[in-house]
Amino acid sequence: NQSAALRVEKTPEASPWHFSADAGVKVRVPLEPFVRTRASYTKSWENWRMKAAETVFWFSSIGLGETTQVDFERLLSEPVMFRATSTATWMNNPHMFDLRQDFSLYHALNERTALLYQISVIGVSEPELIATEYVLLMLARYRLHRSWVFFEISPQLHFPKTKNFETSPMLMLRL
């Protein structure tokens, strides 16, 4: 996926709020223009951190939609963090919600290398609330250069409803 966009961000000083808006185009045939705006709020208490985000978007190929995401994070030890992420995306066409629940462990091995272990449940709200896929994955990320060039390898096990929840392995490589 390649795209070009212009983004405006606003984070008031000492505020838990963050705002952004962007407009651009996904590079494909035909070109796919889009606009989106996002607001997020972060709150910490004791050993937990909560981040709630709301995104409204329009893509020429899929139309209007909205995503609500809530993350709960807790540092388990200095290099290990737990995160539970709940996401619901509403699409205008078709009228339904795509739902996702992730439970993740992030493990920083050193300043260049990190691991992610994740279990996910993916579902939809129509015609009824139903799980459409389960995913187990591990991701290893290595920083190759400065703070923006990374190599990732991610072995995954997918259990899609379309295959009667039988194992469907996948290997992702990303630069």
Side-chain angles (χ1 to χ4, degrees), residues 17-53:
W17 290 95
H18 178 83
F19 303 96
S20 68
D22 47 351
V25 62
K26 281 190 169 186
V27 181
R28 59 172 59 147
V29 178
L31 292 175
E32 182 181 2
F34 66 89
V35 293
R36 85 185 131 208
T37 185
R38 177 182 166 116
S40 65
Y41 177 80
T42 304
K43 172 85 173 148
S44 297
W45 67 97
E46 294 183 23
N47 297 322
W48 289 90
R49 178 176 178 248
M50 185 268 306
K51 181 176 182 180

Side-chain angles (χ1 to χ4, degrees), residues 31-112:
L31 292 175
E32 182 181 2
F34 66 89
V35 293
R36 85 185 131 208
T37 185
R38 177 182 166 116
S40 65
Y41 177 80
T42 304
K43 172 85 173 148
S44 297
W45 67 97
E46 294 183 23
N47 297 322
W48 289 90
R49 178 176 178 248
M50 185 268 306
K51 181 176 182 180
E54 184 69 29
T55 304
V56 177
F57 58 85
W58 174 85
F59 285 83
S60 64
S61 63
I62 59 175
L64 187 63
E66 156 300 306
T67 298
T68 301
Q69 180 171 320
V70 178
D71 295 325
F72 289 96
E73 299 177 344
R74 180 184 174 109
L75 195 61
L76 301 178
S77 66
E78 185 51 42
V80 179
M81 182 188 70
F82 167 79
R83 177 183 292 154
T85 301
S86 302
T87 307
T89 299
W90 175 79
M91 302 298 298
N92 184 45
N93 188 17
H95 289 291
M96 62 182 253
F97 284 93
D98 287 329
L99 307 168
R100 183 177 183 117
Q101 179 65 56
D102 299 321
F103 297 100
S104 308
L105 285 176
Y106 296 84
H107 185 183
L109 299 177
N110 56 48
E111 63 181 47
R112 294 181 80 102

